[in-house]
Amino acid sequence: MNIKKLVRPELIAMKSYTPIEPVEILVQQVEGKLIKLDGNENPYGCSPKVSQAVADYPYYHIYPDPEQRKLREALQEYTGVDRQHIVCGSGSDELIDLVSRLFLEPGDRIITCSPTFGMYPFSAEVCGGRVIEVPRKDEDFALDIAGVKRALDKRTKVIFIASPNNPTGNIIEEQELMELVDTGRVVVIDEAYFEFSGVTMAGLVAAYRNLIVLRTFSKWAGLAGFRIGYGIFPVEIADYLMKIKQPYNVNAAAQVAVLASLSDLDYLHGNVNKIITERERLFGKLGVIASGAKQSHWLKPYPSRANFILCSLCCDSEPTPSEQSPAKEIWRQLQQRGIFIRYFDTPRLKDCLRISVGRPEDTDALVEALKEMC
Ligand SMILES: *Cc1c(COP(=O)(O)O)cnc(C)c1O
């Protein structure tokens, strides 16, 4: 029996997603302290109320509510959007998957604006969809809205935009969004970093039939390990998603964790503010390494509205083709010192590094190390 003959051929051809290493593995690679700035995770963890509530919850032996009633009610209050627009998922990753499964037949297309989050192509391809990449503009990673419109064809169903974008940190303007909504395709605005930017399109969802906003508790609320996200959808789309999702897609512990988080907003917003302050301090420090441009390498940080900063590495001389990319070399050397940041092996990002914002002491250790290298 040849299993490969039975597997869908497009899945055999498909490229795998490259995830980051889990913390248990990283700890083994490091002698001293581990500084983890590669996953845009919250360095302050979750609310202490979460640990308490999860420990106290008495009903883990009972299936969770498939209608997500308590969650949607709490999220109605948090977002100001009526609960019938809200659907929760096992991470916003699951909602990206569900949206793809709702709209894509094999051969249908999505548009992404690269460089961007890797789960959009991943989920589309699992559905047999095709991905059309419309590159962002060279200088500042601004969206190329005219380019998106030119790329549309009859089989284009969904346009995915992250705002703030991962890894570039910039946001979509309302004017740009309106042009996309006018194309009549489903437009997904992924606001995974909304709490760090303060800018949202959620208030527009109710006015259109094709606009979706996705959010998550992974980054701002420190719940990445629980896997819990939500989306704000036109009611018609929300109803279809409730129909096709697995009934118990959000586990009981995640539901308890969200309710506890939403009851401790002052604490969580305090941490968000610390991270925003630290983002600006890190940006300034990276800029100083940048202006110390007497050396052969220096960093150019891009302004960010999220909890990470993308930098490109500038060099006086072109590396010879046999040489490793200098960005990758810095990434590797930082790793030897226990500092983990993100390097992307794609042509557009090969000279770039993405640094998640950590605590002040993490910034200091990183900047010291970078000064020695650049
Ligand atoms: C981290 C991230 C997500 C994933 O969120 P989960 O809720 O953890 O699945 C979604 N979109 C973007 C742009 C992200 O960076």
Side-chain angles (χ1 to χ4, degrees):
M1 183 181 50
N2 186 346
I3 291 296
K4 209 169 167 179
K5 276 194 173 154
L6 301 177
V7 175
R8 287 163 49 198
E10 65 272 26
L11 296 188
I12 293 172
M14 179 185 153
K15 231 175 68 202
S16 328
Y17 184 75
T18 328
I20 49 173
E21 292 282 9
V23 67
E24 296 86 344
I25 302 293
L26 296 185
V27 163
Q28 291 169 7
Q29 297 174 16
V30 177
E31 276 172 28
K33 211 170 116 253
L34 168 74
I35 300 182
K36 191 173 183 322
L37 306 175
D38 60 351
N40 301 342
E41 290 133 335
N42 195 315
Y44 301 105
C46 58
S47 153
K49 289 197 177 178
V50 168
S51 333
Q52 194 57 54
V54 167
D56 291 347
Y57 184 71
Y59 301 119
Y60 290 120
H61 59 300
I62 307 286
Y63 284 107
D65 176 14
E67 297 276 323
Q68 311 171 338
R69 270 165 276 224
K70 280 195 179 157
L71 273 186
R72 293 165 90 192
E73 189 184 327
L75 286 167
Q76 166 175 310
E77 178 164 338
Y78 177 67
T79 61
V81 176
D82 192 277
R83 70 191 82 180
Q84 56 179 348
H85 292 281
I86 298 171
V87 178
C88 302
S90 175
S92 49
D93 285 353
E94 190 197 12
L95 296 165
I96 294 167
D97 177 63
L98 282 171
V99 166
S100 306
R101 291 204 277 152
L102 181 60
F103 292 108
L104 299 181
E105 290 180 64
D108 282 346
R109 297 173 168 208
I110 68 160
I111 289 182
T112 64
C113 295
S114 54
T116 191
F117 190 49
M119 288 308 285
Y120 315 135
F122 172 84
S123 293
E125 284 170 7
V126 171
C127 296
R130 302 253 311 271
V131 182
I132 308 300
E133 281 191 20
V134 177
R136 289 164 175 264
K137 292 180 186 160
D138 268 344
E139 327 75 66
D140 55 358
F141 297 109
L143 290 165
D144 177 7
I145 300 292
V148 170
K149 289 187 187 167
R150 279 197 302 275
L152 295 172
D153 74 2
K154 276 203 215 84
R155 300 211 63 177
T156 309
K157 294 267 187 80
V158 189
I159 302 170
F160 283 99
I161 309 278
S163 178
N165 185 43
N166 178 3
T168 62
N170 54 331
I171 59 173
I172 188 172
E173 303 293 332
E174 188 171 326
Q175 173 62 36
E176 296 176 313
L177 173 61
M178 286 301 102
E179 286 191 52
L180 296 181
V181 167
D182 283 345
T183 65
R185 275 40 173 220
V186 174
V187 180
V188 178
I189 302 298
D190 181 348
E191 294 184 354
Y193 301 95
F194 154 66
E195 282 77 1
F196 300 102
S197 75
V199 179
T200 181
M201 301 299 164
L204 295 170
V205 171
Y208 299 93
R209 300 181 70 180
N210 60 332
L211 173 60
I212 293 172
V213 168
L214 301 182
R215 301 264 188 87
T216 177
F217 281 82
S218 294
K219 314 298 174 26
W220 73 282
L223 298 186
F226 276 102
R227 312 304 304 125
I228 173 77
Y230 63 99
I232 302 168
F233 304 90
V235 175
E236 191 183 1
I237 296 179
D239 289 347
Y240 283 122
L241 293 172
M242 289 303 283
K243 179 175 172 186
I244 69 166
K245 78 174 182 63
Q246 299 222 11
Y248 310 115
N249 63 329
V250 178
N251 69 73
Q255 302 208 21
V256 170
V258 163
L259 297 175
S261 300
L262 291 175
S263 75
D264 204 10
L265 285 180
D266 286 347
Y267 174 83
L268 291 174
H269 287 155
N271 289 345
V272 166
N273 287 333
K274 279 197 247 178
I275 292 167
I276 293 172
T277 304
E278 193 55 24
R279 174 185 76 202
E280 297 312 311
R281 195 175 78 94
L282 173 63
F283 185 83
K285 294 240 174 196
L286 293 169
V288 172
I289 300 176
S291 67
K294 286 184 211 77
Q295 293 100 329
S296 57
H297 295 150
W298 65 97
L299 292 167
K300 177 182 172 226
Y302 293 91
S304 168
R305 306 292 296 266
N307 67 341
F308 52 81
I309 295 178
L310 186 72
C311 303
S312 58
L313 193 74
C314 311
C315 306
D316 275 343
S317 54
E318 285 285 312
T320 59
S322 65
E323 257 179 312
Q324 264 219 350
S325 118
K328 190 166 187 182
E329 185 55 25
I330 286 188
W331 169 77
R332 202 184 57 78
Q333 287 186 29
L334 283 174
Q335 207 159 306
Q336 286 173 344
R337 299 172 192 224
I339 304 175
F340 291 81
I341 62 174
R342 191 80 197 255
Y343 175 73
F344 301 93
D345 237 331
T346 64
R348 178 73 174 87
L349 292 174
K350 72 177 186 348
D351 299 320
C352 293
L353 295 165
R354 191 195 69 195
I355 303 167
S356 307
V357 179
R359 293 157 299 184
E361 58 266 35
D362 302 328
T363 301
D364 294 341
L366 171 80
V367 168
E368 268 324 295
L370 283 173
K371 275 187 186 153
E372 286 168 31
M373 283 173 221
C374 285

